[in-house]
Each structure stands twice: as C-alpha cells, then as structure tokens.
Amino acid sequence: MSETKDFYETLGVSKNASEAEIKKAYRRLAMKYHPDRNPDDKAAEANFKEAKRAYEVLSDSQKRSTYDQFGHAGVDPSMGGGPGGFSGFQDVGDIFGDIFGDIFGGGAGRGGGRQRAQQGADLGYELAIDLDEAVHGVTKEVVVPTWVSCKPCAGSGAKKGSKPVTCTTCQGAGQVRMQHGFIAVQQTCSACHGQGTMIKDPCQTCRGQGRVQERKTLSVKVPAGVDTGDRIRLSGEGEAGMYGAPAGDLFVQIKVRQHPIFQRQGNDLFAELPISFITAILGAEIAVPTLDGQVKLTIPAETQSGRKFRLRGKGVKALRGSGTGDLICQVMVETPVKLSAEQKEHLKAFDAMLESDGKDHSPKSKSWVDAVKRFFH
C-alpha cells in the first residue's frame, strides 16, 4: 500500500461507508497482514501500518471530516504506525484490543505507561475573498463553531476547587493487563479511559469533559499574493482536546471570487480591452483600469484585433520570493452596430475608396487568401 494511497481505497470501502463497515474492513486487513502471521515480510508490515493509519483517521468522525475536506495534508502525519518493528505488545496492543474487543471490552493502549490525552481535532474553513484583497492582502474576521477549553475548570474537567484523583482501578497507569488463555493483552483502563486519573466532582459547566461548544471569532491575516487553494494554518485554533489536552489547528482555505474585468494566471493578470475601429485605425491614448488605479495606454495607429499590450508590474506580487507580475491587455476591435442608412452609405463609399487606390489595406486578409489558394492548388 502506498503512503499516499487514499484511506478509503486502503481499507477497500466507499467514501460513505458506515463506522461498522470501516471497522469490519480494518479487522480483515489487520488479521491478514499482522506481523505475527507474516514474519520477516516487509510488504505485509507496510500494509499493516497503512491499514492501521487509515483506520485511525476514518474511525474518528472529526478526523474523517478533516480528511474528506483536505485529504492527507489535513491530518496529522504522525498518526500512522510508529517507527520500529512489531515485537511484543509494545506496538500491537491496540490492534488486539480492537480485534478482541468483544472478549475483553474496550481498546488496548500502547506501551506500559499512561495514555496521553488526545489532541483536539483540526478544523477547516473556506474563506472567500475578492481579487483585489488577494493581491494586496487583507485581514478578515471569521466565526468558527468549535470546542473550546472550559474556563471555570481551566480544561481539567473537575469542579473549581477540586482536582482529578488517581484512578483506583489502574493505580494511575492508565492500562490494565488482561489474560485470556495463552493470550495476554495490555488494555486501556475502562474506568479512566487511559488518563490515569478520575474526576470525582465534575465541573457543572462542561460536565467533566474539560471543554464546551462555542462560536469563536478569529482574525485571519491573509498575505498579499494568495490564490485559490492556498491554505493558512492557525496553530492551536482548532478544537480543544478533552481533559485539558492541546487544541488542534485551524486550516483556512482561500477561495478568490471571480473578477468582472481581470483573470489571473499565476502572477499575471489578463484583461480584454474593447476599442472602436476608429481608434484601432487612427490610434489614441486611452485609460486602462488596474488594481492600483487607472493608467494611460497608447494604442498605435493600425492596431489589429487580438494584439496584446503588456503593462509591467501591474499584476500580482509574488506570495513567495520577490517580483510582481504584469497586466496583459488584449485589444478587441468592436464592429459598429445599429447603423443608420446614411452611416452605411458612408462606409460603402469608404470601402470603395480603399479598393480604388490600389494599395494593400488588409495585409492579413491577402496573406490568408494566398494561403488558401496554395492549399487547394
């Protein structure tokens, strides 16, 4: 299984699979690729690790939501199987705890020490901004519904004036050892859920969780030069963990709204510049809009439709590195419409004058006709 393989594909389930289907698929792969069944098989070991990593993400509703939105980049890369082999119960205790959960109840913990409180989930937020805000940078306020640390108990979950006490079941270890025939499993303590402590007098505000739901207002500084798809990471602004565990991160994904005049391509901006056929024939100096105000552009006489003019430094400042893109204006010569009979007569007379003076007034048309003749003959 590849490191970048889709987690759903890894487990062989669809993206709308239920928790039960995900767990069933994971158990099947865990039994198939378990190192004890495949000694000295590096490929099986790699498959086992990847299946475990996929299950750890997809079995957690919050991590699964983040993964569905941001893919592998949105989940903690360290959540996969740890380094090293699979000897003893050090690395496979939690696997057995899941597979044999019906026998022992609950899940097994890693190692012999207390289980660390789980960090809060990462959150994603899509921020829509205008093109000029993306080009110049902007500070935006966003409101994010999330879990925050409970203030009355400072995230401990215990009522103010009290504190958690050592778990009497595991004596603070966070794990208990279970024996079933020849199989011994080190299992997460079901009384304290691996924390090693218990709350005798829970906080009334958070009911012992150490966190409460709240709509949090955050200020997001968007740097100049961002584009659709760029992400801004706000460390520690995700969901607060339970029992005082650290908060996750907030990933703000940028979406730049479509602009009525400019289209962006990298650090350059493109714009169509409509001009009259008189301006194209005689030339003129016209005002051109940019994101920094109007500038003057000289249109030479006899300008053809489709010609491009480059305005240096009027594009987007590079987000990383130095330099600024250009504004590229493409001339579009407009054909007059809604002409009166008199105006049409004048144009016919003008066209007759062009044909009678013996000069080549349409070089592109002549070259095109010559090319057609060569093609057929």
Side-chain angles (χ1 to χ4, degrees):
M1 297 180 185
S2 171
E3 281 295 321
T4 57
K5 190 174 181 181
D6 181 82
F7 285 158
Y8 293 98
E9 187 179 349
T10 296
L11 295 182
V13 297
S14 64
K15 291 193 175 183
N16 58 356
S18 65
E19 292 182 9
E21 290 173 329
I22 289 173
K23 187 172 185 179
K24 182 179 179 181
Y26 165 65
R27 285 184 174 184
R28 176 178 55 81
L29 293 174
M31 293 297 291
K32 179 179 179 180
Y33 294 116
H34 194 278
D36 289 349
R37 289 191 167 193
N38 305 273
D40 301 323
D41 188 339
K42 295 298 183 182
E45 180 179 325
N47 290 341
F48 182 83
K49 286 183 178 181
E50 188 63 19
K52 178 178 178 295
R53 181 167 182 251
Y55 177 72
E56 287 177 338
V57 173
L58 300 184
S59 62
D60 185 302
S61 60
Q62 294 172 342
K63 290 180 182 177
R64 183 177 179 180
S65 176
T66 302
Y67 177 76
D68 287 343
Q69 187 170 5
F70 298 109
H72 290 272
V75 292
D76 186 352
S78 65
M79 67 172 58
F86 290 83
S87 58
F89 296 103
Q90 177 77 15
D91 291 313
V92 300
D94 53 349
I95 303 298
F96 277 117
D98 184 74
I99 295 175
F100 301 114
D102 294 336
I103 299 176
F104 300 111
R110 283 178 176 258
R114 180 185 305 173
Q115 188 183 48
R116 297 175 61 186
Q118 186 177 9
Q119 177 176 310
D122 293 336
L123 295 177
Y125 185 95
E126 185 179 86
L127 178 61
I129 59 176
D130 294 329
L131 178 61
D132 60 329
E133 293 175 326
V135 171
H136 298 114
V138 68
T139 298
K140 291 280 191 178
E141 282 193 346
V142 299
V143 179
V144 182
T146 184
W147 289 92
V148 298
S149 179
C150 178
K151 293 181 180 178
C153 68
S156 70
K159 187 177 181 180
K160 189 175 182 179
S162 66
K163 59 181 181 180
V165 298
T166 302
C167 176
T168 56
T169 302
C170 64
Q171 305 301 318
Q175 297 178 349
V176 293
R177 189 177 180 83
M178 304 292 292
Q179 187 80 30
H180 186 76
F182 68 92
I183 299 178
V185 179
Q186 194 144 340
Q187 180 184 8
T188 300
C189 177
S190 60
C192 66
H193 305 289
Q195 301 302 312
T197 58
M198 300 180 65
I199 299 172
K200 293 292 186 181
D201 194 4
C203 170
Q204 296 300 309
T205 302
C206 65
R207 299 183 180 180
Q209 293 190 60
R211 61 181 189 171
V212 294
Q213 285 188 312
E214 188 177 287
R215 293 175 65 84
K216 184 164 59 174
T217 301
L218 299 171
S219 181
V220 181
K221 187 175 182 180
V222 180
V226 297
D227 201 358
T228 295
D230 288 333
R231 290 196 307 162
I232 301 170
R233 178 178 181 176
L234 301 182
S235 299
E237 297 295 354
E239 288 189 351
M242 295 181 66
Y243 314 119
D249 300 330
L250 173 65
F251 291 89
V252 179
Q253 186 152 356
I254 299 298
K255 179 180 180 182
V256 181
R257 299 186 186 97
Q258 188 173 359
H259 195 275
I261 298 176
F262 305 109
Q263 294 84 44
R264 180 174 176 177
Q265 191 174 74
N267 292 328
D268 291 333
L269 295 177
F270 290 81
E272 285 189 352
L273 185 60
I275 61 174
S276 69
F277 84 110
I278 298 299
T279 299
I281 294 171
L282 302 179
E285 187 178 70
I286 62 175
V288 175
T290 75
L291 291 176
D292 296 313
Q294 288 189 346
V295 296
K296 294 292 186 178
L297 175 64
T298 299
I299 303 296
E302 302 179 359
T303 292
Q304 299 296 320
S305 185
R307 180 176 176 180
K308 295 178 180 179
F309 294 89
R310 184 180 294 269
L311 301 179
R312 301 284 181 183
K314 295 301 181 180
V316 183
K317 183 179 179 181
L319 178 61
R320 299 172 184 85
S322 58
T324 303
D326 303 327
L327 171 60
I328 301 170
C329 298
Q330 185 171 22
V331 166
M332 304 298 293
V333 179
E334 286 195 300
T335 302
V337 297
K338 299 179 181 180
L339 298 179
S340 66
E342 182 182 3
Q343 291 168 333
K344 292 177 181 179
E345 288 301 322
H346 283 300
L347 287 175
K348 290 177 181 178
F350 175 66
D351 187 48
M353 290 173 60
L354 294 179
E355 291 184 2
S356 64
D357 67 2
K359 296 181 180 179
D360 185 9
H361 297 290
S362 302
K364 285 190 176 182
S365 178
K366 184 180 183 302
S367 62
W368 182 82
V369 171
D370 291 341
V372 170
K373 289 179 178 178
R374 287 194 300 272
F375 176 77
F376 284 108
H377 296 288

